[in-house]
Amino acid sequence: MHSLLSILLMTPPASGASGGAAGGGMMSTVIMFVMIGAIFYLMIYRPQKKRQKERESLLGTMEKGDKVITSSGIHGTISQIDDATILVQVSDNTKLRFEKASVTTVVTKKDA
């Protein structure tokens, strides 16, 4: 019984009368992978790029006097902007320096 099972497992599948069936199976596999790639692009990659561009424009349009909210939840007003950092005034005598990337929300002077 054991040797019969091992012989059956080692034999290749019968090719049958349709020799082109393997080519059709390969084509459907390629089409399936292309469709998965298209869905991945439309559902994940493209929206992520759009959010990234919006974030870059948000950080690029910050000006002195804009009200901001940082990722740690600190609210304040921008008093100075450098290349990579901003100085945020959180009260009359308190200013904190943050990385620009830590800003999550900007309320411009025009919006307020």
Side-chain angles (χ1 to χ4, degrees):
M1 178 70 175
H2 185 274
S3 63
L4 179 63
L5 184 61
S6 64
I7 292 172
L8 288 174
L9 291 175
M10 291 175 29
T11 58
S15 62
S18 60
M26 179 63 119
M27 183 58 90
S28 66
T29 304
V30 169
I31 291 172
M32 180 184 67
F33 279 116
V34 168
M35 293 300 291
I36 290 171
I39 290 170
F40 177 78
Y41 174 78
L42 292 173
M43 300 287 287
I44 297 172
Y45 184 74
R46 189 169 156 228
Q48 179 65 27
K49 280 293 192 186
K50 184 178 178 183
R51 282 191 296 270
Q52 184 179 1
K53 285 183 182 180
E54 289 173 355
R55 176 131 174 90
E56 287 173 1
S57 73
L58 172 84
L59 296 178
T61 59
M62 288 191 303
E63 296 177 347
K64 185 177 178 181
D66 289 346
K67 295 181 187 267
V68 295
I69 302 172
T70 65
S71 59
S72 58
I74 296 176
H75 295 243
T77 306
I78 297 176
S79 62
Q80 181 183 355
I81 297 178
D82 295 329
D83 291 337
T85 61
I86 58 172
L87 192 62
V88 178
Q89 183 172 358
V90 293
S91 69
D92 291 335
N93 298 325
T94 308
K95 293 183 180 179
L96 302 171
R97 185 167 304 278
F98 289 98
E99 293 291 321
K100 279 186 176 181
S102 69
V103 175
T104 57
T105 307
V106 176
V107 180
T108 61
K109 291 180 282 191
K110 297 175 243 173
D111 295 339

